[in-house]
Amino acid sequence: PRSRGQIEIRSAHPEDKPKIDARYLSDPAGDDLRTLLQGVRMARRIGLDDALAAWRGIELVPGRTRETEDAL
């Protein structure tokens, strides 16, 4: 992953939760998003394999009609 988030200490008290800003998919070049979309496409191919036909249902999210990068 190229996206970088931050974790900050809120106080000196050890039981206080840290402030977390994950900044998921914030890579300016878009490499992380492209990798995620490749994973979605790979999961679809695996899920459509005949060996999994007995367990396959319908794709709920994002849905089989979603094919373009923008739709995914």
Side-chain angles (χ1 to χ4, degrees):
R2 296 181 186 268
S3 298
R4 294 290 179 251
Q6 296 180 17
I7 300 175
E8 296 178 12
I9 297 172
R10 291 184 189 258
S11 73
H13 194 276
E15 292 186 19
D16 285 350
K17 294 179 181 178
K19 178 182 175 186
I20 301 173
D21 179 6
R23 299 190 64 213
Y24 296 121
L25 303 176
S26 64
D27 168 33
D31 292 334
D32 290 346
L33 180 58
R34 279 190 290 281
T35 300
L36 175 66
L37 292 173
Q38 287 174 349
V40 170
R41 290 183 182 105
M42 181 185 295
R44 281 180 165 175
R45 284 193 307 272
I46 292 169
L48 290 173
D49 192 275
D50 290 341
L52 300 175
W55 298 279
R56 183 177 33 245
I58 62 168
E59 180 179 315
L60 299 176
V61 176
R64 285 300 305 161
T65 60
R66 308 288 179 140
E67 293 291 335
T68 67
E69 187 172 307
D70 288 339
L72 290 174

